[in-house]
Amino acid sequence: MTATLIDGKASAATLRARVAAHVTRLREENGLTPGLAVVLVGEDPASQVYVGAKGRQTVEVGMASFEHRLPADTAEADLLATIRALNADPKIHGILVQLPLPSHLDSDLVINAIDPAKDVDGFHISNVGLLGTGQKAMVPCTPLGCLMLLRDLHGTLAGMEAVVIGRSNIVGKPMASLLLGESCTVTIAHSRTRDLPAVVRRADIVIAAVGRPEMVPASWIKPGATVIDVGINRIPAADGKTRLVGDVDFAAVSAIAGAITPVPGGVGPMTIACLLANTLTACCRAHGLAEPEGLTA
Ligand code: NDP
């Protein structure tokens, strides 16, 4: 391996420590405790794991965690009533509705019912619009985490060629907006892109957010490029169990890239750390207090 390993676990630990230190200061100087409410509808096993991890880390940084676990057949009106109650609760500064929702619920309607100031996932249409127009927004956690890793590595990103593979609303599109905000030259690729290998080969920065195990081979990567692998894919392992891999062929690409994130241990840990950072930011904004430097875009 010649590439520098981008240690998302270590960066996430550093970010959580900064958040925790600021939370202590808020409590001591302002008598405030940031509060994060997570709403989970149904019993999707992966979602339960994520919600558990979010709750634990929220408490570890000194914030208040509120979990609302609702049955899979919850009526939309009842879910909206829960969100209205959280919007009105001054103890709650951040609200996250765990996706995906059961199919009888309209995700757009539900997400857009969250007070945009408390929308710590950054999925509300107001925050999407603010980010897209370069204004102060709540920024989606995964792309924010990727941006922090890139800034730590490179300092300024201005003028770099960035290719984002994937155009989802939660990763690809906000990632492209953030990179444009950093004055990168940005290309968004997707399943209909013609000659994807040639497009990716132009990139100084590759963001892979597709959900296809190890689809990006070394031959697509410009020597020295920085590769951020957002993908989380579970595949069968030799011992009959399963293991996690990204969207990038890590072993081969790390021989040619300049820097690369591993899976697991790259972008994943940054996502929850950024959720905590967003909750702290939302709390500071709600109370008209100065935001800590460098916790958002
Ligand atoms: P989506 O399924 O919503 O989007 C996938 C995107 O990949 C689509 O835009 C799709 O194109 C594109 N795509 C699919 N096949 C190809 C192909 N052959 N060539 C080029 N592009 C292709 O996924 P998400 O954005 O939600 O997630 C992407 C990955 O990131 C998943 O593995 C997910 O688990 C992971 N993830 C990780 C997080 C973390 O914390 N690390 C957080 C969120 C997601 P089209 O639009 O044309 O269909």
Side-chain angles (χ1 to χ4, degrees):
M1 166 157 179
T2 58
T4 300
L5 190 72
I6 302 171
D7 187 344
K9 232 167 146 176
S11 294
T14 304
L15 179 55
R16 283 197 305 272
R18 287 193 54 212
V19 169
H22 203 89
V23 168
T24 301
R25 219 171 312 142
L26 273 184
R27 192 173 49 246
E28 290 173 358
E29 294 174 11
N30 306 92
L32 284 171
T33 301
L36 173 64
V38 177
V39 180
L40 173 62
V41 184
E43 273 114 44
D44 177 67
S47 293
Q48 290 194 338
V49 172
Y50 289 139
V51 167
K54 286 167 185 171
R56 260 194 318 281
Q57 294 191 27
T58 302
V59 171
E60 276 166 19
V61 296
M63 296 184 185
S65 167
F66 303 85
E67 274 182 21
H68 295 261
R69 291 178 185 254
L70 307 178
D73 61 357
T74 297
E76 198 163 79
D78 293 337
L79 177 55
L80 293 173
T82 300
I83 291 173
R84 276 196 300 276
L86 296 172
N87 284 344
D89 186 340
K91 295 190 300 302
I92 309 283
H93 303 93
I95 302 169
L96 178 152
V97 175
Q98 185 67 42
L99 299 176
L101 287 172
S103 57
H104 68 283
L105 298 169
D106 178 344
S107 299
D108 289 337
L109 186 77
V110 170
I111 296 302
N112 288 326
I114 298 172
D115 177 348
K118 297 188 177 188
D119 168 38
V120 282
D121 252 345
F123 297 158
H124 188 288
I125 196 72
S126 297
N127 283 312
V128 174
L130 289 168
L131 178 62
T133 51
Q135 300 180 68
K136 195 158 103 174
M138 292 305 304
V139 178
C141 303
T142 300
L144 179 59
C146 295
L147 179 67
M148 288 182 180
L149 293 176
L150 286 167
R151 279 178 175 162
D152 280 353
L153 186 71
H154 290 291
T156 178
L157 308 178
M160 295 175 92
E161 282 269 356
V163 173
V164 181
I165 318 174
R167 57 173 162 179
S168 71
N169 291 335
I170 65 169
V171 188
K173 285 180 196 158
M175 187 74 245
S177 292
L178 288 173
L179 291 167
L180 203 52
E182 299 291 306
S183 298
C184 292
T185 302
V186 183
T187 303
I188 308 178
H190 45 78
S191 66
R192 308 290 294 274
T193 296
R194 252 187 252 145
D195 200 355
L196 183 59
V199 171
V200 177
R201 241 175 255 129
R202 291 204 305 259
D204 304 307
I205 296 170
V206 179
I207 312 277
V210 179
R212 292 170 74 99
E214 300 177 322
M215 75 166 264
V216 178
S219 61
W220 294 11
I221 301 299
K222 178 161 87 174
T226 297
V227 179
I228 306 288
D229 191 350
V230 181
I232 300 177
N233 309 290
R234 193 166 281 285
I235 61 166
D239 58 5
K241 296 187 183 154
T242 60
R243 65 188 180 98
L244 289 183
V245 297
D247 290 343
V248 173
D249 179 350
F250 180 83
V253 169
S254 46
I256 185 160
I260 187 168
T261 57
V263 176
V267 175
M270 287 300 284
T271 296
I272 299 187
C274 285
L275 173 67
L276 305 175
N278 276 351
T279 304
L280 173 57
T281 299
C283 178
C284 292
R285 289 180 187 173
H287 292 276
L289 298 169
E291 293 169 32
E293 286 281 301
L295 288 197
T296 189

